[in-house]
Amino acid sequence: MKNVTVWLLALFILACSLDSKTQTRSRNLIPKNPKSAAVTLQIFSGRENPKWNLNSRQANELLALLGNLSKSQPRAFNGGLGYTGFRVQFNERGTKREIIAYRGQILYRNDNSKEYFTDPERSLEKFLLKTGDSTLGTGRAKRTEQEINLPPKNYPTDLPRRRNE
């Protein structure tokens, strides 16, 4: 029994060590101290979506929020019409980096990698909405806030049921 306990403890420590190395590696892919970022609220299908810029402080605050999230499995970002999330593009030379935040799911991608995070509190979406208040106006901001406060969907399994189920 003692050997099993020691073996399980060693396995647990190894697993924690591997996880922390993976998280450190993944966090290193996230840009440090960006000068600015461009935000697009994706709400229209036939018109230009509202856009605004984040200053350096806001961009770093956004990245700090991202750094506190847990990684998740890849998910489909199924949208449809209306609100389909926020897209943030970092203004850097030579490298394309962006964040897509929709219904508590986050996709971070750069030129050669993708990472997925889960945000059950929708902190990134709420933060980004707050930064766009002056651009969006009260009515549009309120409607977007209502969308953000809807319960998250479990894509891709959140499909319509057939009548006989």
Side-chain angles (χ1 to χ4, degrees), residues 81-118:
L81 297 176
Y83 174 72
T84 57
F86 291 89
R87 179 180 303 266
V88 182
Q89 296 175 306
F90 292 92
N91 302 327
E92 300 175 295
R93 285 190 199 153
T95 304
K96 181 180 178 185
R97 298 178 192 262
E98 69 180 354
I99 295 172
I100 298 172
Y102 179 62
R103 298 227 185 269
Q105 298 300 314
I106 310 298
L107 167 61
Y108 169 77
R109 63 181 163 203
N110 63 26
D111 288 332
N112 52 16
S113 70
K114 291 182 183 179
E115 291 189 83
Y116 295 85
F117 299 88
T118 185

PDB file of all heavy atoms in Angstrom, residues 81-118:
ATOM      1  N   LEU A  81     -26.435  34.970 -37.190  1.00  0.00           N
ATOM      2  CA  LEU A  81     -26.689  36.398 -37.352  1.00  0.00           C
ATOM      3  C   LEU A  81     -26.622  37.090 -36.002  1.00  0.00           C
ATOM      4  O   LEU A  81     -26.818  36.485 -34.962  1.00  0.00           O
ATOM      5  CB  LEU A  81     -28.059  36.616 -37.983  1.00  0.00           C
ATOM      6  CG  LEU A  81     -28.223  36.060 -39.397  1.00  0.00           C
ATOM      7  CD1 LEU A  81     -29.657  36.250 -39.868  1.00  0.00           C
ATOM      8  CD2 LEU A  81     -27.261  36.730 -40.353  1.00  0.00           C
ATOM      9  N   GLY A  82     -26.362  38.384 -36.040  1.00  0.00           N
ATOM     10  CA  GLY A  82     -26.292  39.146 -34.799  1.00  0.00           C
ATOM     11  C   GLY A  82     -24.925  39.023 -34.146  1.00  0.00           C
ATOM     12  O   GLY A  82     -23.912  38.867 -34.815  1.00  0.00           O
ATOM     13  N   TYR A  83     -24.910  39.078 -32.837  1.00  0.00           N
ATOM     14  CA  TYR A  83     -23.662  39.065 -32.072  1.00  0.00           C
ATOM     15  C   TYR A  83     -22.895  37.767 -32.294  1.00  0.00           C
ATOM     16  O   TYR A  83     -23.414  36.680 -32.063  1.00  0.00           O
ATOM     17  CB  TYR A  83     -23.979  39.237 -30.585  1.00  0.00           C
ATOM     18  CG  TYR A  83     -22.785  39.103 -29.680  1.00  0.00           C
ATOM     19  CD1 TYR A  83     -21.812  40.092 -29.634  1.00  0.00           C
ATOM     20  CD2 TYR A  83     -22.635  37.983 -28.873  1.00  0.00           C
ATOM     21  CE1 TYR A  83     -20.717  39.969 -28.804  1.00  0.00           C
ATOM     22  CE2 TYR A  83     -21.542  37.854 -28.032  1.00  0.00           C
ATOM     23  CZ  TYR A  83     -20.591  38.850 -28.007  1.00  0.00           C
ATOM     24  OH  TYR A  83     -19.500  38.722 -27.174  1.00  0.00           O
ATOM     25  N   THR A  84     -21.657  37.898 -32.765  1.00  0.00           N
ATOM     26  CA  THR A  84     -20.783  36.723 -32.916  1.00  0.00           C
ATOM     27  C   THR A  84     -19.436  36.950 -32.242  1.00  0.00           C
ATOM     28  O   THR A  84     -18.457  36.302 -32.575  1.00  0.00           O
ATOM     29  CB  THR A  84     -20.581  36.344 -34.398  1.00  0.00           C
ATOM     30  OG1 THR A  84     -20.043  37.473 -35.094  1.00  0.00           O
ATOM     31  CG2 THR A  84     -21.883  35.890 -35.043  1.00  0.00           C
ATOM     32  N   GLY A  85     -19.387  37.874 -31.301  1.00  0.00           N
ATOM     33  CA  GLY A  85     -18.194  38.041 -30.479  1.00  0.00           C
ATOM     34  C   GLY A  85     -17.348  39.248 -30.833  1.00  0.00           C
ATOM     35  O   GLY A  85     -17.752  40.123 -31.587  1.00  0.00           O
ATOM     36  N   PHE A  86     -16.160  39.243 -30.222  1.00  0.00           N
ATOM     37  CA  PHE A  86     -15.182  40.307 -30.416  1.00  0.00           C
ATOM     38  C   PHE A  86     -13.949  39.734 -31.093  1.00  0.00           C
ATOM     39  O   PHE A  86     -13.544  38.615 -30.809  1.00  0.00           O
ATOM     40  CB  PHE A  86     -14.736  40.886 -29.069  1.00  0.00           C
ATOM     41  CG  PHE A  86     -15.793  41.655 -28.343  1.00  0.00           C
ATOM     42  CD1 PHE A  86     -16.661  41.018 -27.473  1.00  0.00           C
ATOM     43  CD2 PHE A  86     -15.916  43.027 -28.517  1.00  0.00           C
ATOM     44  CE1 PHE A  86     -17.627  41.725 -26.787  1.00  0.00           C
ATOM     45  CE2 PHE A  86     -16.883  43.747 -27.827  1.00  0.00           C
ATOM     46  CZ  PHE A  86     -17.741  43.089 -26.962  1.00  0.00           C
ATOM     47  N   ARG A  87     -13.355  40.520 -31.952  1.00  0.00           N
ATOM     48  CA  ARG A  87     -12.069  40.172 -32.570  1.00  0.00           C
ATOM     49  C   ARG A  87     -11.094  41.282 -32.196  1.00  0.00           C
ATOM     50  O   ARG A  87     -11.371  42.462 -32.414  1.00  0.00           O
ATOM     51  CB  ARG A  87     -12.194  40.088 -34.085  1.00  0.00           C
ATOM     52  CG  ARG A  87     -10.883  39.756 -34.789  1.00  0.00           C
ATOM     53  CD  ARG A  87     -11.065  39.694 -36.306  1.00  0.00           C
ATOM     54  NE  ARG A  87     -12.086  38.729 -36.659  1.00  0.00           N
ATOM     55  CZ  ARG A  87     -11.846  37.459 -36.972  1.00  0.00           C
ATOM     56  NH1 ARG A  87     -10.629  37.004 -36.957  1.00  0.00           N
ATOM     57  NH2 ARG A  87     -12.832  36.661 -37.299  1.00  0.00           N
ATOM     58  N   VAL A  88      -9.953  40.884 -31.640  1.00  0.00           N
ATOM     59  CA  VAL A  88      -8.912  41.833 -31.252  1.00  0.00           C
ATOM     60  C   VAL A  88      -7.666  41.511 -32.051  1.00  0.00           C
ATOM     61  O   VAL A  88      -7.167  40.390 -32.000  1.00  0.00           O
ATOM     62  CB  VAL A  88      -8.598  41.741 -29.737  1.00  0.00           C
ATOM     63  CG1 VAL A  88      -7.538  42.766 -29.350  1.00  0.00           C
ATOM     64  CG2 VAL A  88      -9.859  41.918 -28.900  1.00  0.00           C
ATOM     65  N   GLN A  89      -7.165  42.485 -32.783  1.00  0.00           N
ATOM     66  CA  GLN A  89      -5.949  42.307 -33.570  1.00  0.00           C
ATOM     67  C   GLN A  89      -4.870  43.221 -33.003  1.00  0.00           C
ATOM     68  O   GLN A  89      -5.086  44.424 -32.861  1.00  0.00           O
ATOM     69  CB  GLN A  89      -6.214  42.621 -35.034  1.00  0.00           C
ATOM     70  CG  GLN A  89      -7.208  41.642 -35.634  1.00  0.00           C
ATOM     71  CD  GLN A  89      -7.588  41.988 -37.054  1.00  0.00           C
ATOM     72  OE1 GLN A  89      -8.010  43.106 -37.321  1.00  0.00           O
ATOM     73  NE2 GLN A  89      -7.430  41.034 -37.948  1.00  0.00           N
ATOM     74  N   PHE A  90      -3.737  42.606 -32.660  1.00  0.00           N
ATOM     75  CA  PHE A  90      -2.635  43.365 -32.079  1.00  0.00           C
ATOM     76  C   PHE A  90      -1.818  44.011 -33.183  1.00  0.00           C
ATOM     77  O   PHE A  90      -1.524  43.386 -34.199  1.00  0.00           O
ATOM     78  CB  PHE A  90      -1.763  42.453 -31.212  1.00  0.00           C
ATOM     79  CG  PHE A  90      -2.497  42.004 -29.992  1.00  0.00           C
ATOM     80  CD1 PHE A  90      -3.208  40.817 -30.005  1.00  0.00           C
ATOM     81  CD2 PHE A  90      -2.517  42.782 -28.852  1.00  0.00           C
ATOM     82  CE1 PHE A  90      -3.921  40.408 -28.890  1.00  0.00           C
ATOM     83  CE2 PHE A  90      -3.230  42.383 -27.738  1.00  0.00           C
ATOM     84  CZ  PHE A  90      -3.929  41.195 -27.754  1.00  0.00           C
ATOM     85  N   ASN A  91      -1.482  45.272 -32.972  1.00  0.00           N
ATOM     86  CA  ASN A  91      -0.744  46.045 -33.971  1.00  0.00           C
ATOM     87  C   ASN A  91       0.753  45.816 -33.756  1.00  0.00           C
ATOM     88  O   ASN A  91       1.386  46.496 -32.967  1.00  0.00           O
ATOM     89  CB  ASN A  91      -1.085  47.532 -33.843  1.00  0.00           C
ATOM     90  CG  ASN A  91      -2.571  47.771 -33.999  1.00  0.00           C
ATOM     91  OD1 ASN A  91      -3.237  47.064 -34.737  1.00  0.00           O
ATOM     92  ND2 ASN A  91      -3.101  48.757 -33.294  1.00  0.00           N
ATOM     93  N   GLU A  92       1.284  44.839 -34.467  1.00  0.00           N
ATOM     94  CA  GLU A  92       2.704  44.510 -34.387  1.00  0.00           C
ATOM     95  C   GLU A  92       3.230  44.333 -35.797  1.00  0.00           C
ATOM     96  O   GLU A  92       2.509  43.865 -36.677  1.00  0.00           O
ATOM     97  CB  GLU A  92       2.917  43.202 -33.619  1.00  0.00           C
ATOM     98  CG  GLU A  92       2.401  43.241 -32.194  1.00  0.00           C
ATOM     99  CD  GLU A  92       2.529  41.889 -31.529  1.00  0.00           C
ATOM    100  OE1 GLU A  92       1.858  40.947 -31.982  1.00  0.00           O
ATOM    101  OE2 GLU A  92       3.322  41.794 -30.591  1.00  0.00           O
ATOM    102  N   ARG A  93       4.476  44.655 -35.979  1.00  0.00           N
ATOM    103  CA  ARG A  93       5.088  44.470 -37.301  1.00  0.00           C
ATOM    104  C   ARG A  93       5.457  43.016 -37.505  1.00  0.00           C
ATOM    105  O   ARG A  93       6.022  42.379 -36.628  1.00  0.00           O
ATOM    106  CB  ARG A  93       6.343  45.304 -37.430  1.00  0.00           C
ATOM    107  CG  ARG A  93       6.054  46.745 -37.633  1.00  0.00           C
ATOM    108  CD  ARG A  93       7.325  47.473 -37.995  1.00  0.00           C
ATOM    109  NE  ARG A  93       7.110  48.893 -37.735  1.00  0.00           N
ATOM    110  CZ  ARG A  93       8.054  49.727 -37.442  1.00  0.00           C
ATOM    111  NH1 ARG A  93       9.300  49.327 -37.381  1.00  0.00           N
ATOM    112  NH2 ARG A  93       7.775  50.981 -37.229  1.00  0.00           N
ATOM    113  N   GLY A  94       5.117  42.498 -38.683  1.00  0.00           N
ATOM    114  CA  GLY A  94       5.583  41.188 -39.081  1.00  0.00           C
ATOM    115  C   GLY A  94       4.853  39.998 -38.497  1.00  0.00           C
ATOM    116  O   GLY A  94       5.022  38.894 -38.957  1.00  0.00           O
ATOM    117  N   THR A  95       4.038  40.173 -37.475  1.00  0.00           N
ATOM    118  CA  THR A  95       3.345  39.047 -36.845  1.00  0.00           C
ATOM    119  C   THR A  95       1.870  39.375 -36.718  1.00  0.00           C
ATOM    120  O   THR A  95       1.507  40.443 -36.249  1.00  0.00           O
ATOM    121  CB  THR A  95       3.903  38.769 -35.437  1.00  0.00           C
ATOM    122  OG1 THR A  95       5.303  38.548 -35.537  1.00  0.00           O
ATOM    123  CG2 THR A  95       3.261  37.559 -34.817  1.00  0.00           C
ATOM    124  N   LYS A  96       1.047  38.448 -37.126  1.00  0.00           N
ATOM    125  CA  LYS A  96      -0.393  38.617 -36.971  1.00  0.00           C
ATOM    126  C   LYS A  96      -0.817  37.863 -35.710  1.00  0.00           C
ATOM    127  O   LYS A  96      -0.612  36.657 -35.599  1.00  0.00           O
ATOM    128  CB  LYS A  96      -1.140  38.056 -38.177  1.00  0.00           C
ATOM    129  CG  LYS A  96      -2.623  38.225 -38.077  1.00  0.00           C
ATOM    130  CD  LYS A  96      -3.340  37.653 -39.281  1.00  0.00           C
ATOM    131  CE  LYS A  96      -4.834  37.796 -39.099  1.00  0.00           C
ATOM    132  NZ  LYS A  96      -5.579  37.160 -40.162  1.00  0.00           N
ATOM    133  N   ARG A  97      -1.340  38.579 -34.739  1.00  0.00           N
ATOM    134  CA  ARG A  97      -1.828  37.980 -33.507  1.00  0.00           C
ATOM    135  C   ARG A  97      -3.231  38.506 -33.256  1.00  0.00           C
ATOM    136  O   ARG A  97      -3.480  39.692 -33.394  1.00  0.00           O
ATOM    137  CB  ARG A  97      -0.938  38.334 -32.324  1.00  0.00           C
ATOM    138  CG  ARG A  97       0.478  37.835 -32.454  1.00  0.00           C
ATOM    139  CD  ARG A  97       1.299  38.271 -31.247  1.00  0.00           C
ATOM    140  NE  ARG A  97       2.705  38.068 -31.449  1.00  0.00           N
ATOM    141  CZ  ARG A  97       3.375  37.021 -31.001  1.00  0.00           C
ATOM    142  NH1 ARG A  97       2.751  36.098 -30.316  1.00  0.00           N
ATOM    143  NH2 ARG A  97       4.664  36.900 -31.212  1.00  0.00           N
ATOM    144  N   GLU A  98      -4.122  37.589 -32.867  1.00  0.00           N
ATOM    145  CA  GLU A  98      -5.484  38.033 -32.582  1.00  0.00           C
ATOM    146  C   GLU A  98      -6.149  37.151 -31.546  1.00  0.00           C
ATOM    147  O   GLU A  98      -5.749  36.006 -31.322  1.00  0.00           O
ATOM    148  CB  GLU A  98      -6.312  38.105 -33.854  1.00  0.00           C
ATOM    149  CG  GLU A  98      -6.636  36.793 -34.494  1.00  0.00           C
ATOM    150  CD  GLU A  98      -7.468  36.948 -35.761  1.00  0.00           C
ATOM    151  OE1 GLU A  98      -7.893  38.063 -36.092  1.00  0.00           O
ATOM    152  OE2 GLU A  98      -7.705  35.928 -36.413  1.00  0.00           O
ATOM    153  N   ILE A  99      -7.168  37.725 -30.948  1.00  0.00           N
ATOM    154  CA  ILE A  99      -8.012  37.033 -29.977  1.00  0.00           C
ATOM    155  C   ILE A  99      -9.439  37.127 -30.486  1.00  0.00           C
ATOM    156  O   ILE A  99      -9.880  38.196 -30.904  1.00  0.00           O
ATOM    157  CB  ILE A  99      -7.928  37.692 -28.587  1.00  0.00           C
ATOM    158  CG1 ILE A  99      -6.533  37.550 -28.004  1.00  0.00           C
ATOM    159  CG2 ILE A  99      -8.971  37.098 -27.640  1.00  0.00           C
ATOM    160  CD1 ILE A  99      -6.318  38.338 -26.722  1.00  0.00           C
ATOM    161  N   ILE A 100     -10.145  36.012 -30.423  1.00  0.00           N
ATOM    162  CA  ILE A 100     -11.573  36.012 -30.714  1.00  0.00           C
ATOM    163  C   ILE A 100     -12.264  35.540 -29.440  1.00  0.00           C
ATOM    164  O   ILE A 100     -11.916  34.492 -28.891  1.00  0.00           O
ATOM    165  CB  ILE A 100     -11.918  35.096 -31.896  1.00  0.00           C
ATOM    166  CG1 ILE A 100     -11.219  35.613 -33.156  1.00  0.00           C
ATOM    167  CG2 ILE A 100     -13.436  35.018 -32.095  1.00  0.00           C
ATOM    168  CD1 ILE A 100     -11.324  34.708 -34.343  1.00  0.00           C
ATOM    169  N   ALA A 101     -13.211  36.324 -28.958  1.00  0.00           N
ATOM    170  CA  ALA A 101     -13.940  36.001 -27.728  1.00  0.00           C
ATOM    171  C   ALA A 101     -15.421  35.924 -28.053  1.00  0.00           C
ATOM    172  O   ALA A 101     -16.004  36.891 -28.559  1.00  0.00           O
ATOM    173  CB  ALA A 101     -13.689  37.076 -26.667  1.00  0.00           C
ATOM    174  N   TYR A 102     -16.021  34.770 -27.766  1.00  0.00           N
ATOM    175  CA  TYR A 102     -17.443  34.576 -28.073  1.00  0.00           C
ATOM    176  C   TYR A 102     -18.042  33.552 -27.119  1.00  0.00           C
ATOM    177  O   TYR A 102     -17.568  32.423 -27.039  1.00  0.00           O
ATOM    178  CB  TYR A 102     -17.609  34.120 -29.528  1.00  0.00           C
ATOM    179  CG  TYR A 102     -19.039  33.859 -29.930  1.00  0.00           C
ATOM    180  CD1 TYR A 102     -19.983  34.881 -29.903  1.00  0.00           C
ATOM    181  CD2 TYR A 102     -19.444  32.609 -30.350  1.00  0.00           C
ATOM    182  CE1 TYR A 102     -21.302  34.652 -30.280  1.00  0.00           C
ATOM    183  CE2 TYR A 102     -20.751  32.369 -30.737  1.00  0.00           C
ATOM    184  CZ  TYR A 102     -21.678  33.391 -30.697  1.00  0.00           C
ATOM    185  OH  TYR A 102     -22.975  33.159 -31.062  1.00  0.00           O
ATOM    186  N   ARG A 103     -19.068  33.970 -26.416  1.00  0.00           N
ATOM    187  CA  ARG A 103     -19.846  33.093 -25.533  1.00  0.00           C
ATOM    188  C   ARG A 103     -18.977  32.277 -24.565  1.00  0.00           C
ATOM    189  O   ARG A 103     -19.184  31.088 -24.380  1.00  0.00           O
ATOM    190  CB  ARG A 103     -20.725  32.164 -26.337  1.00  0.00           C
ATOM    191  CG  ARG A 103     -21.740  32.897 -27.186  1.00  0.00           C
ATOM    192  CD  ARG A 103     -23.107  32.272 -27.027  1.00  0.00           C
ATOM    193  NE  ARG A 103     -24.062  32.883 -27.915  1.00  0.00           N
ATOM    194  CZ  ARG A 103     -24.812  33.933 -27.580  1.00  0.00           C
ATOM    195  NH1 ARG A 103     -24.705  34.477 -26.408  1.00  0.00           N
ATOM    196  NH2 ARG A 103     -25.668  34.422 -28.437  1.00  0.00           N
ATOM    197  N   GLY A 104     -18.004  32.949 -23.959  1.00  0.00           N
ATOM    198  CA  GLY A 104     -17.183  32.292 -22.949  1.00  0.00           C
ATOM    199  C   GLY A 104     -16.079  31.422 -23.504  1.00  0.00           C
ATOM    200  O   GLY A 104     -15.383  30.746 -22.751  1.00  0.00           O
ATOM    201  N   GLN A 105     -15.896  31.415 -24.794  1.00  0.00           N
ATOM    202  CA  GLN A 105     -14.817  30.664 -25.427  1.00  0.00           C
ATOM    203  C   GLN A 105     -13.850  31.663 -26.056  1.00  0.00           C
ATOM    204  O   GLN A 105     -14.285  32.645 -26.664  1.00  0.00           O
ATOM    205  CB  GLN A 105     -15.349  29.710 -26.505  1.00  0.00           C
ATOM    206  CG  GLN A 105     -16.283  28.656 -25.973  1.00  0.00           C
ATOM    207  CD  GLN A 105     -15.620  27.780 -24.927  1.00  0.00           C
ATOM    208  OE1 GLN A 105     -14.499  27.316 -25.094  1.00  0.00           O
ATOM    209  NE2 GLN A 105     -16.316  27.560 -23.826  1.00  0.00           N
ATOM    210  N   ILE A 106     -12.570  31.381 -25.910  1.00  0.00           N
ATOM    211  CA  ILE A 106     -11.551  32.290 -26.419  1.00  0.00           C
ATOM    212  C   ILE A 106     -10.625  31.521 -27.350  1.00  0.00           C
ATOM    213  O   ILE A 106     -10.164  30.430 -27.017  1.00  0.00           O
ATOM    214  CB  ILE A 106     -10.700  32.882 -25.266  1.00  0.00           C
ATOM    215  CG1 ILE A 106     -11.583  33.445 -24.140  1.00  0.00           C
ATOM    216  CG2 ILE A 106      -9.712  33.909 -25.792  1.00  0.00           C
ATOM    217  CD1 ILE A 106     -12.484  34.580 -24.525  1.00  0.00           C
ATOM    218  N   LEU A 107     -10.351  32.117 -28.493  1.00  0.00           N
ATOM    219  CA  LEU A 107      -9.349  31.596 -29.418  1.00  0.00           C
ATOM    220  C   LEU A 107      -8.250  32.638 -29.502  1.00  0.00           C
ATOM    221  O   LEU A 107      -8.513  33.809 -29.782  1.00  0.00           O
ATOM    222  CB  LEU A 107      -9.949  31.365 -30.806  1.00  0.00           C
ATOM    223  CG  LEU A 107      -8.959  31.119 -31.947  1.00  0.00           C
ATOM    224  CD1 LEU A 107      -8.116  29.875 -31.708  1.00  0.00           C
ATOM    225  CD2 LEU A 107      -9.690  31.030 -33.275  1.00  0.00           C
ATOM    226  N   TYR A 108      -7.025  32.217 -29.198  1.00  0.00           N
ATOM    227  CA  TYR A 108      -5.866  33.076 -29.391  1.00  0.00           C
ATOM    228  C   TYR A 108      -5.041  32.446 -30.501  1.00  0.00           C
ATOM    229  O   TYR A 108      -4.726  31.264 -30.448  1.00  0.00           O
ATOM    230  CB  TYR A 108      -5.016  33.182 -28.117  1.00  0.00           C
ATOM    231  CG  TYR A 108      -3.694  33.839 -28.404  1.00  0.00           C
ATOM    232  CD1 TYR A 108      -3.614  35.211 -28.568  1.00  0.00           C
ATOM    233  CD2 TYR A 108      -2.548  33.087 -28.580  1.00  0.00           C
ATOM    234  CE1 TYR A 108      -2.416  35.816 -28.896  1.00  0.00           C
ATOM    235  CE2 TYR A 108      -1.345  33.684 -28.906  1.00  0.00           C
ATOM    236  CZ  TYR A 108      -1.285  35.047 -29.059  1.00  0.00           C
ATOM    237  OH  TYR A 108      -0.110  35.639 -29.393  1.00  0.00           O
ATOM    238  N   ARG A 109      -4.722  33.222 -31.523  1.00  0.00           N
ATOM    239  CA  ARG A 109      -3.899  32.664 -32.597  1.00  0.00           C
ATOM    240  C   ARG A 109      -2.879  33.697 -33.052  1.00  0.00           C
ATOM    241  O   ARG A 109      -3.112  34.901 -32.999  1.00  0.00           O
ATOM    242  CB  ARG A 109      -4.734  32.159 -33.751  1.00  0.00           C
ATOM    243  CG  ARG A 109      -5.542  33.172 -34.482  1.00  0.00           C
ATOM    244  CD  ARG A 109      -6.345  32.517 -35.602  1.00  0.00           C
ATOM    245  NE  ARG A 109      -7.406  33.414 -36.023  1.00  0.00           N
ATOM    246  CZ  ARG A 109      -8.493  33.023 -36.623  1.00  0.00           C
ATOM    247  NH1 ARG A 109      -8.687  31.753 -36.883  1.00  0.00           N
ATOM    248  NH2 ARG A 109      -9.410  33.895 -36.986  1.00  0.00           N
ATOM    249  N   ASN A 110      -1.756  33.148 -33.497  1.00  0.00           N
ATOM    250  CA  ASN A 110      -0.744  33.967 -34.139  1.00  0.00           C
ATOM    251  C   ASN A 110      -0.408  33.304 -35.465  1.00  0.00           C
ATOM    252  O   ASN A 110      -1.140  32.418 -35.902  1.00  0.00           O
ATOM    253  CB  ASN A 110       0.476  34.174 -33.226  1.00  0.00           C
ATOM    254  CG  ASN A 110       1.204  32.901 -32.900  1.00  0.00           C
ATOM    255  OD1 ASN A 110       1.170  31.931 -33.655  1.00  0.00           O
ATOM    256  ND2 ASN A 110       1.869  32.873 -31.762  1.00  0.00           N
ATOM    257  N   ASP A 111       0.682  33.710 -36.065  1.00  0.00           N
ATOM    258  CA  ASP A 111       1.012  33.212 -37.405  1.00  0.00           C
ATOM    259  C   ASP A 111       1.054  31.693 -37.509  1.00  0.00           C
ATOM    260  O   ASP A 111       0.720  31.131 -38.538  1.00  0.00           O
ATOM    261  CB  ASP A 111       2.359  33.768 -37.863  1.00  0.00           C
ATOM    262  CG  ASP A 111       2.275  35.239 -38.205  1.00  0.00           C
ATOM    263  OD1 ASP A 111       1.181  35.699 -38.597  1.00  0.00           O
ATOM    264  OD2 ASP A 111       3.291  35.936 -38.070  1.00  0.00           O
ATOM    265  N   ASN A 112       1.479  31.012 -36.440  1.00  0.00           N
ATOM    266  CA  ASN A 112       1.682  29.571 -36.578  1.00  0.00           C
ATOM    267  C   ASN A 112       1.100  28.724 -35.458  1.00  0.00           C
ATOM    268  O   ASN A 112       1.442  27.560 -35.331  1.00  0.00           O
ATOM    269  CB  ASN A 112       3.175  29.264 -36.732  1.00  0.00           C
ATOM    270  CG  ASN A 112       3.998  29.894 -35.629  1.00  0.00           C
ATOM    271  OD1 ASN A 112       3.458  30.307 -34.617  1.00  0.00           O
ATOM    272  ND2 ASN A 112       5.291  29.980 -35.829  1.00  0.00           N
ATOM    273  N   SER A 113       0.234  29.269 -34.626  1.00  0.00           N
ATOM    274  CA  SER A 113      -0.365  28.440 -33.578  1.00  0.00           C
ATOM    275  C   SER A 113      -1.735  28.972 -33.174  1.00  0.00           C
ATOM    276  O   SER A 113      -2.058  30.137 -33.405  1.00  0.00           O
ATOM    277  CB  SER A 113       0.551  28.370 -32.350  1.00  0.00           C
ATOM    278  OG  SER A 113       0.587  29.615 -31.700  1.00  0.00           O
ATOM    279  N   LYS A 114      -2.503  28.072 -32.554  1.00  0.00           N
ATOM    280  CA  LYS A 114      -3.822  28.412 -32.018  1.00  0.00           C
ATOM    281  C   LYS A 114      -3.916  27.840 -30.617  1.00  0.00           C
ATOM    282  O   LYS A 114      -3.443  26.741 -30.365  1.00  0.00           O
ATOM    283  CB  LYS A 114      -4.936  27.769 -32.837  1.00  0.00           C
ATOM    284  CG  LYS A 114      -5.129  28.306 -34.204  1.00  0.00           C
ATOM    285  CD  LYS A 114      -6.297  27.589 -34.866  1.00  0.00           C
ATOM    286  CE  LYS A 114      -6.493  28.047 -36.297  1.00  0.00           C
ATOM    287  NZ  LYS A 114      -7.595  27.329 -36.936  1.00  0.00           N
ATOM    288  N   GLU A 115      -4.535  28.600 -29.728  1.00  0.00           N
ATOM    289  CA  GLU A 115      -4.804  28.105 -28.389  1.00  0.00           C
ATOM    290  C   GLU A 115      -6.232  28.491 -28.026  1.00  0.00           C
ATOM    291  O   GLU A 115      -6.709  29.560 -28.396  1.00  0.00           O
ATOM    292  CB  GLU A 115      -3.844  28.701 -27.374  1.00  0.00           C
ATOM    293  CG  GLU A 115      -2.434  28.200 -27.540  1.00  0.00           C
ATOM    294  CD  GLU A 115      -1.572  28.637 -26.393  1.00  0.00           C
ATOM    295  OE1 GLU A 115      -1.611  27.951 -25.360  1.00  0.00           O
ATOM    296  OE2 GLU A 115      -0.883  29.650 -26.541  1.00  0.00           O
ATOM    297  N   TYR A 116      -6.882  27.607 -27.294  1.00  0.00           N
ATOM    298  CA  TYR A 116      -8.255  27.827 -26.879  1.00  0.00           C
ATOM    299  C   TYR A 116      -8.304  27.936 -25.362  1.00  0.00           C
ATOM    300  O   TYR A 116      -7.600  27.218 -24.652  1.00  0.00           O
ATOM    301  CB  TYR A 116      -9.147  26.672 -27.340  1.00  0.00           C
ATOM    302  CG  TYR A 116      -9.250  26.596 -28.841  1.00  0.00           C
ATOM    303  CD1 TYR A 116      -8.292  25.928 -29.598  1.00  0.00           C
ATOM    304  CD2 TYR A 116     -10.307  27.206 -29.503  1.00  0.00           C
ATOM    305  CE1 TYR A 116      -8.386  25.870 -30.975  1.00  0.00           C
ATOM    306  CE2 TYR A 116     -10.402  27.143 -30.883  1.00  0.00           C
ATOM    307  CZ  TYR A 116      -9.443  26.473 -31.614  1.00  0.00           C
ATOM    308  OH  TYR A 116      -9.542  26.424 -32.970  1.00  0.00           O
ATOM    309  N   PHE A 117      -9.159  28.844 -24.884  1.00  0.00           N
ATOM    310  CA  PHE A 117      -9.333  29.061 -23.460  1.00  0.00           C
ATOM    311  C   PHE A 117     -10.823  29.102 -23.159  1.00  0.00           C
ATOM    312  O   PHE A 117     -11.637  29.374 -24.041  1.00  0.00           O
ATOM    313  CB  PHE A 117      -8.697  30.391 -23.029  1.00  0.00           C
ATOM    314  CG  PHE A 117      -7.225  30.459 -23.278  1.00  0.00           C
ATOM    315  CD1 PHE A 117      -6.725  30.897 -24.497  1.00  0.00           C
ATOM    316  CD2 PHE A 117      -6.325  30.083 -22.295  1.00  0.00           C
ATOM    317  CE1 PHE A 117      -5.367  30.963 -24.733  1.00  0.00           C
ATOM    318  CE2 PHE A 117      -4.955  30.143 -22.525  1.00  0.00           C
ATOM    319  CZ  PHE A 117      -4.478  30.586 -23.749  1.00  0.00           C
ATOM    320  N   THR A 118     -11.159  28.859 -21.911  1.00  0.00           N
ATOM    321  CA  THR A 118     -12.542  28.982 -21.486  1.00  0.00           C
ATOM    322  C   THR A 118     -12.644  30.150 -20.518  1.00  0.00           C
ATOM    323  O   THR A 118     -11.758  30.363 -19.689  1.00  0.00           O
ATOM    324  CB  THR A 118     -13.057  27.667 -20.865  1.00  0.00           C
ATOM    325  OG1 THR A 118     -14.438  27.816 -20.573  1.00  0.00           O
ATOM    326  CG2 THR A 118     -12.309  27.282 -19.606  1.00  0.00           C
TER     327      THR A 118
END
